[in-house]
Amino acid sequence: MQKLIIITGILFYCCPMFAQEQQLQELTKQYGIPGIQLVCIKGNKVQSFNLGTVSKESNKKVTANTIFEAASLSKCVFAYTVLRLYDKGVISLDTPLIHYVHTYERFDTADPRYASITARMVLRHTTGLPNWGDDKYARLIFTPDSTYSYSGEGFQYLQRAVEKLTNKSLNELAQQEVFTPLGMTNSSYTWSSRFDTLSAFGNSADAINGHTKQMAAASLLTCAHDYALFLQAVITGKGLKPETHNMMLEKQSAGIWFKHRVTEANNHIWWGLGMGLQENETGRWAWQWGDNGDFKGFCIVNPKKKEALVYLTHSNWGLHITTDVLNAFFPKQTWWPPVWIGYEFYEKENIEKFWSELDKKGYDHAAEIAADLKQKDTSFKMPESDVNDIAFILLGKNKKNEAIDIFKYNLAANPNSADAYEGLAEGYEDIGNKELAIQNFRKSVELNPKNNYAAEYIKKLEEGNK
């Protein structure tokens, strides 16, 4: 009897994990994501998943020690570092940073507004700086502290200030204030030789050289296990004064992004100090997404519930699965961040119905499937961009004929769309049909003369034909 109880207990514990692993495998397969590294925390319970390979081009398995680019998840760790320095009296959150750096080469000295930017503005993304400027300058897009706009440039400016104040590099500071105290032994803002056999991107000379610049906004190299240790600190406030920990997770700015699309999500998103905030049916969660090209990741934490999750991928479509991943590990609820950042299908439920029918009936039946779904529900709609995303996902999975079918359907449904022509052109280019690629790129430029991407692609293809 005792043996039966033990076996039952093991099954009770393992079955949810098995179901979640199956869901992750299905999601990564659907979106063509080669592998994923994920850790979920619920109180004292920690679940870890390391599935698939590091990339489509590699058979190297994802393990708990695989090192990924954390991309903008770097910002949260840096923010924690700055708040630790604030608690020690090293830096003020409200003193203009120019007081510490005196001069900054990426600012236009003719604009006096730069002089008012503070650390608090940086951490809550109200500096007025763009996400990234050009090769020379980061020009202000609005007066500092007048509204919200996400900015990597701001974090780089704050990095310069704390490095000058402490006479230490970003990585030395992170090691001192976060990595060592939290036991994050596989984390660094710059390349380390210990990553030689662990990194998801290899250790070629190009890879190493590409990871030598320390950037508070984007250069953190880490694994989900290490990042989960950081999220546990966010839950408990370890290393911060209680009032500072509370301040980090208080609403500091509204998430109404300057000159960005406004949706219902804007009513539920704010920014704290270094992390986004969302409020839904279950309370307040702090979160951040990461996007370094093919490296995509996401983290979310609810200090009151003592729950957190982080996942890392090496795939262009790694953020399209965020809502499904969260629903696999937490009770189903409204997750506003994926909608707010715009990496998810705008009409997710409709697109999933459409996609399911395509799998059953064939991608060459896209038009009749769409017509049937609209007949059953007159409110049914599929944005052009959502349909285009399906086609690009199929290209990534090497389902090229199916992708062309969807590109063609999208163009038929949106005959005056420059984007639809561009999508079909990219599909043809991918299968090696340069003539049809050029033809459709030209049509895209006719409809949108400002489409420099298509114009450059035409030149590239025509030069390749010579």
Side-chain angles (χ1 to χ4, degrees), residues 156 159 170 189-191 208-216 218-220:
Q156 295 310 113
Q159 175 186 334
L170 166 64
Y189 276 94
T190 188
W191 181 267
I208 294 170
N209 290 336
H211 291 89
T212 53
K213 185 178 180 181
Q214 298 180 32
M215 297 179 65
S219 76
L220 178 62

Side-chain angles (χ1 to χ4, degrees), residues 79-88 176-178 181 239-240:
Y80 218 76
T81 302
V82 172
L83 292 176
R84 291 258 294 162
L85 295 175
Y86 164 74
D87 276 349
K88 293 177 179 181
Q176 169 187 299
E177 304 296 335
V178 183
L240 296 179

Side-chain angles (χ1 to χ4, degrees), residues 22 80 280 406:
Q22 288 293 104
Y80 218 76
N280 66 5
I406 300 304

Side-chain angles (χ1 to χ4, degrees), residues 182-381:
L182 300 184
M184 297 170 66
T185 56
N186 277 332
S187 296
S188 174
Y189 276 94
T190 188
W191 181 267
S192 170
S193 60
R194 68 181 183 277
F195 297 156
D196 281 354
T197 58
L198 300 175
S199 69
F201 38 81
N203 64 342
S204 67
D206 287 342
I208 294 170
N209 290 336
H211 291 89
T212 53
K213 185 178 180 181
Q214 298 180 32
M215 297 179 65
S219 76
L220 178 62
L221 301 168
T222 191
C223 57
H225 169 269
D226 268 26
Y227 208 87
L229 294 175
F230 167 68
L231 294 180
Q232 285 176 320
V234 176
I235 288 174
T236 63
K238 181 178 179 179
L240 296 179
K241 293 179 179 179
E243 56 269 30
T244 303
H245 181 232
N246 291 336
M247 181 173 60
M248 177 186 184
L249 301 173
E250 288 173 351
K251 297 176 183 178
Q252 297 280 338
S253 58
I256 300 175
W257 199 330
F258 183 66
K259 289 190 176 180
H260 273 58
R261 184 176 66 99
V262 176
T263 70
E264 175 61 22
N266 291 95
N267 295 321
H268 308 273
I269 295 290
W270 294 266
W271 224 263
L273 294 180
M275 295 188 79
L277 305 173
Q278 78 140 17
E279 287 190 351
N280 66 5
E281 310 92 312
T282 65
R284 182 175 298 178
W285 299 73
W287 62 277
Q288 175 69 50
W289 84 102
D291 180 357
N292 274 5
D294 279 344
F295 283 95
K296 299 280 198 295
F298 185 84
C299 73
I300 195 162
V301 56
N302 188 319
K304 286 189 177 180
K305 289 179 174 289
K306 294 180 171 54
E307 295 179 344
L309 181 145
V310 58
Y311 77 83
L312 302 170
T313 70
H314 187 193
S315 167
N316 187 53
W317 302 102
L319 283 165
H320 270 61
I321 65 173
T322 302
T323 294
D324 294 314
V325 167
L326 294 176
N327 284 335
F329 288 87
F330 302 110
K332 193 170 184 180
Q333 55 198 283
T334 308
W335 301 106
W336 293 110
V339 180
W340 185 85
I341 58 179
Y343 284 91
E344 190 169 80
F345 292 122
Y346 293 126
E347 295 289 341
K348 185 174 174 62
E349 187 175 336
N350 289 349
I351 282 293
E352 287 178 344
K353 287 179 183 177
F354 179 58
W355 202 346
S356 177
E357 291 300 306
L358 290 170
D359 280 334
K360 292 175 187 174
K361 298 177 181 177
Y363 287 78
D364 55 339
H365 294 281
E368 61 189 75
I369 291 169
D372 184 53
L373 290 169
K374 290 174 184 176
Q375 187 176 15
K376 290 177 180 176
D377 179 3
T378 55
S379 66
F380 185 90
K381 60 181 179 179

Side-chain angles (χ1 to χ4, degrees), residues 20-310:
Q20 289 160 341
E21 182 173 321
Q22 288 293 104
Q23 286 174 285
L24 289 177
Q25 288 176 336
E26 289 169 8
L27 282 170
T28 53
K29 181 179 179 182
Q30 180 183 3
Y31 286 86
I33 299 168
I36 186 169
Q37 195 182 62
L38 181 149
V39 175
C40 179
I41 301 167
K42 291 184 178 179
N44 294 324
K45 180 183 175 183
V46 179
Q47 296 172 277
S48 299
F49 298 84
N50 305 286
L51 307 175
T53 60
V54 297
S55 71
K56 290 184 294 185
E57 296 77 27
S58 173
N59 292 322
K60 186 178 179 181
K61 297 291 185 182
V62 173
T63 70
N65 293 321
T66 301
I67 300 301
F68 287 84
E69 292 184 16
S72 283
L73 272 63
S74 307
K75 294 180 173 73
C76 309
V77 175
F78 176 64
Y80 218 76
T81 302
V82 172
L83 292 176
R84 291 258 294 162
L85 295 175
Y86 164 74
D87 276 349
K88 293 177 179 181
V90 175
I91 188 171
S92 163
L93 297 182
D94 298 305
T95 296
L97 295 177
I98 201 70
H99 176 75
Y100 302 125
V101 300
H102 304 302
T103 183
Y104 189 59
E105 68 278 0
R106 291 190 58 72
F107 290 171
D108 182 355
T109 54
D111 190 336
R113 296 177 299 169
Y114 290 105
S116 66
I117 296 173
T118 65
R120 189 183 301 274
M121 293 179 201
V122 170
L123 296 178
R124 68 187 182 191
H125 294 282
T126 61
T127 60
L129 293 166
N131 188 18
W132 297 110
D134 58 31
D135 290 342
K136 187 174 182 181
Y137 290 120
R139 302 181 188 280
L140 291 172
I141 56 177
F142 56 76
T143 299
D145 224 24
S146 61
T147 189
Y148 170 95
S149 193
Y150 189 79
S151 176
E153 286 280 358
F155 274 70
Q156 295 310 113
Y157 181 38
L158 181 54
Q159 175 186 334
R160 174 69 65 85
V162 296
E163 287 179 330
K164 191 153 188 176
L165 274 170
T166 62
N167 199 30
K168 292 180 179 178
S169 71
L170 166 64
N171 201 56
E172 287 173 326
L173 286 167
Q175 195 74 48
Q176 169 187 299
E177 304 296 335
V178 183
F179 300 155
T180 298
L182 300 184
M184 297 170 66
T185 56
N186 277 332
S187 296
S188 174
Y189 276 94
T190 188
W191 181 267
S192 170
S193 60
R194 68 181 183 277
F195 297 156
D196 281 354
T197 58
L198 300 175
S199 69
F201 38 81
N203 64 342
S204 67
D206 287 342
I208 294 170
N209 290 336
H211 291 89
T212 53
K213 185 178 180 181
Q214 298 180 32
M215 297 179 65
S219 76
L220 178 62
L221 301 168
T222 191
C223 57
H225 169 269
D226 268 26
Y227 208 87
L229 294 175
F230 167 68
L231 294 180
Q232 285 176 320
V234 176
I235 288 174
T236 63
K238 181 178 179 179
L240 296 179
K241 293 179 179 179
E243 56 269 30
T244 303
H245 181 232
N246 291 336
M247 181 173 60
M248 177 186 184
L249 301 173
E250 288 173 351
K251 297 176 183 178
Q252 297 280 338
S253 58
I256 300 175
W257 199 330
F258 183 66
K259 289 190 176 180
H260 273 58
R261 184 176 66 99
V262 176
T263 70
E264 175 61 22
N266 291 95
N267 295 321
H268 308 273
I269 295 290
W270 294 266
W271 224 263
L273 294 180
M275 295 188 79
L277 305 173
Q278 78 140 17
E279 287 190 351
N280 66 5
E281 310 92 312
T282 65
R284 182 175 298 178
W285 299 73
W287 62 277
Q288 175 69 50
W289 84 102
D291 180 357
N292 274 5
D294 279 344
F295 283 95
K296 299 280 198 295
F298 185 84
C299 73
I300 195 162
V301 56
N302 188 319
K304 286 189 177 180
K305 289 179 174 289
K306 294 180 171 54
E307 295 179 344
L309 181 145
V310 58

